[in-house]
Amino acid sequence: MSAVLQNLVNQPYKHGFVTDIESEVAPKGLNEDIIRMISSKKKEPEWLLEFRLKSYQAWLKMTEPEWQNCHHPKIDYQAISYYAAPKIKAKLNSIDEVDPELLRTFEKLGVPLHERMALAGVAVDVIFDSVSVATTYKHKLAEVGVIFCSMSEAVLEHPELVQKYLGTVVPTGDNFYAALNSAVFTDGSFCFIPKGVKCPMDLSTYFRINTEESGQFERTLIIAEEGASVSYLEGCTAPAFSTNQLHAAVVELVALDNADIKYSTVQNWYAGDENGVGGIYNFVTKRGLAKGVNARISWTQVETGAAITWKYPSVVLLGDNSVGEFYSVAVTNNYQQADTGTKMIHIGKNTRSTIVSKGISAGKSNNSYRGLVKIAASATGARNYSQCDSMLIGEECGANTFPYIQVLNNSAQVEHEASTSKIGEDQMFYFAQRGVDAEAAVSMIINGFCKDVFQQLPLEFAVEATNLLSFKLEGSVG
Amino acid sequence: MIYQDSKVLLEVRGLCASVNGVEILKDLDFTVKSGEVHAIMGLNGSGKSTFAKVLAGHPAYEVTSGSVLFEGQNLLALKPEERARAGLFLAFQYPIEVPGVGNGQFLRLTYNTVQKQRGKEELDPLEFDDFVRDKMKLLEMNPDFLDRSVNEGFSGGEKKRNEILQMALLEPRLAILDETDSGLDIDALRVVAHGVNQLTTKDNAMVMVTHYQRLLNYIVPDYVHVMEAGRIIKTGGKALALELETRGYEWVSAEHQAAASVPV
Ligand SMILES: Nc1ncnc2c1ncn2[C@@H]1O[C@H](COP(=O)(O)OP(=O)(O)OP(=O)(O)O)[C@@H](O)[C@H]1O
Ligand SMILES: [Mg+2]
């Protein structure tokens, strides 16, 4: 790999600052007392404490998954603080009451709070370390019956909804990290779109980890009732620390008859430095339940950050004719590791799923696609189409594809296509011979490669993702 | 065409270059003046494409000695993209495919990059579309090729046409066409040759690498060079190509060896 390519990939991370803000951090370690502390801090009802304790008990009996193609030193779960919150005196009624230092942070990050947000017409929930600090447009949404607030608030104000759906898509004992999250989750976003309502604006959550030794365990729950629809965007960043922070989130989506949920993520957690020191461990469980007939759940993700990403946004296609989609771009550079993909579980009749995965590896990174397509015996007429493409930049990175296919119904059609390509010296030379420098060439090649996924993103996100990718890969090709 | 007062465009002296430690170009001399059309011929593996790629700055080839001046400046000190922007164009023998990147988009990027360098106006997608369609007409190319990925799935001849289209867009000072004629059917050869002829002026120059006289019937060279083992061993006028066509290369080689063995 030539020097030009090298330099292109190795651009500094620009979100790596720490905000100097007074925060309240729980003592390190995990035990029932800490869980009780979190629960009482949040004034939670008894059932939720039970939910947490039950999850904790399940977690104690579980072990970390080891099948993924990622390697990291053993995580000491007792060395993590499970609660960190910016000190906020009273409950906030408007964005103007938020600590100005926090607002500046989000401004630096380019989160469209305030006027900018009004222009963009996006409702934003912002999670800083463990706590939700601002939810905008709440009132406007309330007029059409949409509930969009932090999870803590939902627990207090809409307990019946939370209790009805929480843990129904990702059960407490689903996997090691989901169990941990269920025990200690501190905040997250809650969205409820009632029957027949098309959410009038995109909903957006911005996650930020700011404290060095804290974990972030957010919990998001989105419910679209019969005929409802919503587009939800999620963004994330973290400061650059030389230690690793754990991010173990759970996202649950429920779509009833004819409902439509589109969930888009641009993940740019701190990835560690060029020697692989520091960075976020991004161990996330995301799952949607297409519960009703004709329900549709679509995941789009652009994963560029984190030292390790372990994440399989999935769809359980329960309702007849329901549709599941997964569009993913995962970029790894330096020593980053990503093991990501999806699961499409077809149960209802004539259910359809589409998987488009684009993995880009540069530096010494390792990028794996892992996906399961399961067609249950009941899923007559089910169809799946999967396309997994990998692109390698340079000689020292790796890409793998692990497609698992289980078909228990003969009428099903499952198609899988895979390809591996390389941004090679000759391609770069071709561009150069036409006057185009390496940076512009890589950006054009990568955007071409990711086109099918980017066009699924809402416009502003697509622009952000494009820039992020060019920025991320600058210096890696030459 | 040879003009009396024309300037030297390219001056190669004693060029040696190697790839993976193997020396391919050995003490090569070559001069091109503006307005001229040169043909380089020679057996497979004699180093013609290597020469073209070394001039264009391919990173796999290492220049071990010699000098190259392009319009008076040291070409070897420039990066490949700078050479291109300075007006050096190479139509590749094997144009590479770039899946996912739209050909129209790619052409506009290269066009605007070079325009910018020359302090000229860049074109937005709509303006460019009109502009490129005109150029495509010249080459009798279907505009559908704008919507496809760069060279992906193009037939051999279509790739070559796409190369000449780029040449027409970029208006280089010196164009090296590496076997642009191979893979073209007879009609295409005529169209492409016609296009190339229209692009030749007294301010630019053309170097064609070819194995066949048939191209030279359409684009008549001022000079014909024979390359062997990494150097030019004979230079003649357009008649030399005809002679090579009937007699092959062996006699040139023999003549060269005889000359070399004569004691000084
Ligand atoms: N990357 C490389 N590694 C090893 N050898 C190479 C490389 N590139 C070129 N060569 C060798 O250099 C010699 C010259 O090759 P080149 O492609 O320049 O020949 P050519 O004259 O263009 O031939 P043709 O008429 O077949 O196109 C050949 O022997 C070829 O095998
Ligand atoms: Mg050749």
Side-chain angles (χ1 to χ4, degrees):
Chain A
M1 182 158 81
S2 86
V4 191
L5 281 174
Q6 285 284 5
N7 295 335
L8 267 172
V9 200
N10 301 317
Q11 290 278 315
Y13 182 70
K14 65 172 178 183
H15 302 298
F17 56 87
V18 185
T19 303
D20 185 12
I21 206 160
E22 222 187 321
S23 62
E24 188 178 8
V25 182
K28 288 178 192 170
L30 183 54
N31 52 52
E32 291 207 352
D33 289 342
I34 290 282
I35 293 170
R36 285 177 201 281
M37 191 257 336
I38 294 172
S39 191
S40 80
K41 273 232 174 288
K42 303 180 107 33
K43 303 186 179 65
E44 288 175 355
E46 191 58 27
W47 64 263
L48 191 50
L49 177 62
E50 305 268 288
F51 177 93
R52 289 176 180 280
L53 292 173
K54 201 175 89 196
S55 309
Y56 176 65
Q57 287 307 326
W59 179 72
L60 285 176
K61 295 188 200 80
M62 300 172 91
T63 50
E64 288 175 290
E66 278 171 359
W67 42 262
Q68 70 269 42
N69 195 22
C70 300
H71 308 279
H72 57 84
K74 217 147 180 56
I75 298 171
D76 180 358
Y77 291 92
Q78 298 303 335
I80 295 172
S81 166
Y82 288 85
Y83 184 80
K87 272 191 191 149
I88 298 174
K89 277 147 208 110
K91 196 168 156 13
L92 303 171
N93 291 315
S94 93
I95 191 89
D96 302 322
E97 295 171 35
V98 176
D99 187 323
E101 191 62 31
L102 256 187
L103 286 183
R104 271 193 289 279
T105 300
F106 288 111
E107 241 166 66
K108 258 201 236 181
L109 293 167
V111 179
L113 282 173
H114 267 321
E115 297 305 310
R116 277 178 292 151
M117 220 158 41
L119 290 171
V122 177
V124 180
D125 186 20
V126 174
I127 313 286
F128 196 80
D129 282 337
S130 308
V131 169
S132 171
V133 292
T135 305
T136 56
Y137 276 103
K138 207 150 79 184
H139 302 295
K140 195 164 172 203
L141 291 167
E143 283 166 22
V144 287
V146 171
I147 303 169
F148 178 43
C149 61
S150 72
M151 185 58 100
S152 317
E153 208 174 319
V155 167
L156 300 178
E157 285 168 25
H158 310 282
E160 68 304 333
L161 284 175
V162 178
Q163 191 170 11
K164 183 171 174 191
Y165 289 105
L166 189 75
T168 59
V169 186
V170 179
T172 51
D174 186 79
N175 68 71
F176 183 84
Y177 302 113
L180 178 62
N181 174 286
S182 302
V184 302
F185 73 86
T186 36
D187 219 328
S189 290
F190 177 82
C191 313
F192 176 81
I193 323 296
K195 200 167 172 172
V197 172
K198 306 241 167 294
C199 189
M201 61 184 77
D202 287 357
L203 303 183
S204 164
T205 299
Y206 205 89
F207 293 103
R208 170 97 179 149
I209 294 179
N210 196 56
T211 312
E212 178 155 13
E213 279 159 333
S214 72
Q216 180 152 328
F217 305 94
E218 81 271 352
R219 183 98 191 184
T220 293
L221 179 56
I222 301 176
I223 301 138
E225 284 195 329
E226 291 84 352
S229 72
V230 64
S231 165
Y232 182 90
L233 325 173
E234 175 203 275
C236 357
T237 60
F241 290 124
S242 60
T243 51
N244 299 104
Q245 286 89 46
L246 178 61
H247 172 250
V250 171
V251 176
E252 297 178 280
L253 314 180
V254 180
L256 303 184
D257 291 354
N258 303 304
D260 189 337
I261 301 177
K262 184 170 170 56
Y263 193 108
S264 314
T265 306
V266 172
Q267 184 267 102
N268 184 23
W269 291 123
Y270 179 56
D273 67 10
E274 65 281 6
N275 300 312
V277 177
I280 303 286
Y281 290 163
N282 190 36
F283 300 155
V284 169
T285 306
K286 289 184 167 174
R287 195 173 304 154
L289 176 60
K291 199 168 179 181
V293 295
N294 301 317
R296 170 192 286 264
I297 289 180
S298 179
W299 297 101
T300 305
Q301 61 172 21
V302 178
E303 301 283 319
T304 69
I308 303 179
T309 293
W310 179 94
K311 170 179 177 192
Y312 314 90
S314 305
V315 185
V316 178
L317 297 150
L318 188 61
D320 289 348
N321 305 319
S322 60
V323 176
E325 294 172 329
F326 174 73
Y327 296 96
S328 169
V329 167
V331 189
T332 51
N333 193 2
N334 296 324
Y335 288 87
Q336 277 180 283
Q337 307 176 56
D339 193 299
T340 184
T342 183
K343 289 189 276 186
M344 293 291 173
I345 315 291
H346 294 253
I347 300 169
K349 291 190 181 59
N350 300 315
T351 44
R352 279 170 293 143
S353 63
T354 304
I355 298 172
V356 177
S357 161
K358 307 278 178 174
I360 302 167
S361 346
K364 296 185 168 63
S365 68
N366 213 332
N367 200 327
S368 300
Y369 167 81
R370 188 183 302 277
L372 169 68
V373 175
K374 183 170 179 168
I375 313 278
S378 54
T380 304
R383 276 183 293 156
N384 162 267
Y385 171 73
S386 304
Q387 185 189 332
C388 302
D389 300 320
S390 309
M391 178 169 277
L392 302 174
I393 303 178
E395 310 295 330
E396 293 172 290
C397 52
N400 299 286
T401 305
F402 303 102
Y404 303 92
I405 299 171
Q406 294 170 12
V407 180
L408 301 174
N409 184 308
N410 290 334
S411 67
Q413 286 176 39
V414 176
E415 257 182 277
H416 179 89
E417 286 178 28
S419 78
T420 301
S421 54
K422 206 166 170 161
I423 299 191
E425 197 169 63
D426 282 321
Q427 246 174 16
M428 295 301 290
F429 181 61
Y430 192 70
F431 276 81
Q433 214 307 299
R434 302 304 186 242
V436 181
D437 61 30
E439 207 169 305
V442 171
S443 156
M444 187 170 251
I445 294 171
I446 294 290
N447 281 316
F449 180 69
C450 300
K451 197 167 52 191
D452 296 348
V453 174
F454 284 175
Q455 68 195 18
Q456 297 295 328
L457 288 171
L459 191 62
E460 308 129 62
F461 249 39
V463 173
E464 185 184 334
T466 307
N467 294 339
L468 196 56
L469 246 67
S470 312
F471 179 72
K472 181 88 196 168
L473 292 169
E474 270 181 23
S476 61
V477 193
Chain B
M1 202 186 290
I2 302 173
Y3 298 87
Q4 283 310 324
D5 55 348
S6 65
K7 284 183 300 190
V8 175
L9 214 49
L10 181 76
E11 188 164 30
V12 179
R13 289 286 165 267
L15 186 67
C16 298
S18 56
V19 58
N20 298 330
V22 184
E23 184 165 69
I24 313 282
L25 301 185
K26 299 166 185 165
D27 196 16
L28 192 149
D29 292 330
F30 188 64
T31 303
V32 179
K33 289 184 181 168
S34 60
E36 294 174 352
V37 175
H38 291 246
I40 298 181
M41 306 184 79
L43 293 174
N44 294 132
S46 55
K48 304 178 297 295
S49 295
T50 302
F51 180 42
K53 284 192 250 182
V54 166
L55 289 179
H58 193 293
Y61 299 84
E62 191 197 351
V63 173
T64 49
S65 65
S67 66
V68 181
L69 293 180
F70 182 64
E71 296 197 291
Q73 66 173 330
N74 178 8
L75 189 73
L76 302 177
L78 302 181
K79 290 196 246 170
E81 60 269 29
E82 293 166 341
R83 299 181 194 197
R85 291 176 202 161
L88 180 76
F89 181 89
L90 169 58
F92 288 89
Q93 183 173 4
Y94 304 108
I96 197 132
E97 302 191 355
V98 193
V101 174
N103 198 34
Q105 195 192 359
F106 170 74
L107 295 173
R108 191 169 79 89
L109 175 69
T110 63
Y111 176 76
N112 280 341
T113 306
V114 170
Q115 285 291 100
K116 194 170 160 190
Q117 169 78 16
R118 295 178 185 161
K120 291 192 193 160
E121 191 199 1
E122 297 177 49
L123 297 182
D124 69 30
L126 288 177
E127 294 166 334
F128 182 76
D129 197 61
D130 291 342
F131 177 72
V132 73
R133 277 165 193 264
D134 277 351
K135 298 281 179 190
M136 291 175 97
K137 261 186 216 136
L138 178 79
L139 295 164
E140 296 181 17
M141 250 179 111
N142 189 324
D144 289 352
F145 284 104
L146 293 174
D147 300 327
R148 290 171 59 176
S149 293
V150 179
N151 294 327
E152 194 186 30
F154 287 23
S155 74
E158 288 163 352
K159 284 182 184 167
K160 297 298 175 70
R161 257 190 231 217
N162 203 39
E163 292 291 287
I164 299 306
L165 174 61
Q166 293 174 53
M167 174 180 154
L169 290 171
L170 302 182
E171 299 182 338
R173 258 296 130 83
L174 177 67
I176 305 165
L177 311 185
D178 192 357
E179 298 200 25
T180 297
D181 54 332
S182 321
L184 289 181
D185 62 46
I186 296 162
D187 288 350
L189 181 69
R190 198 168 23 78
V191 170
V192 167
H194 176 67
V196 169
N197 282 330
Q198 289 210 324
L199 296 168
T200 347
T201 69
K202 79 182 224 310
D203 294 320
N204 62 22
M206 206 79 69
V207 176
M208 293 176 296
V209 174
T210 182
H211 289 293
Y212 306 107
Q213 172 60 35
R214 54 170 211 171
L215 174 70
L216 306 180
N217 290 336
Y218 292 105
I219 308 174
V220 182
D222 301 306
Y223 297 100
V224 174
H225 309 270
V226 177
M227 194 150 171
E228 185 190 82
R231 69 178 68 172
I232 288 177
I233 57 164
K234 189 175 178 70
T235 294
K238 61 180 181 193
L240 177 57
L242 291 164
E243 197 172 357
L244 293 170
E245 182 105 320
T246 50
R247 294 178 64 192
Y249 289 105
E250 220 167 295
W251 65 275
V252 188
S253 183
E255 212 180 81
H256 176 66
Q257 271 165 27
S261 61
V262 173
V264 190

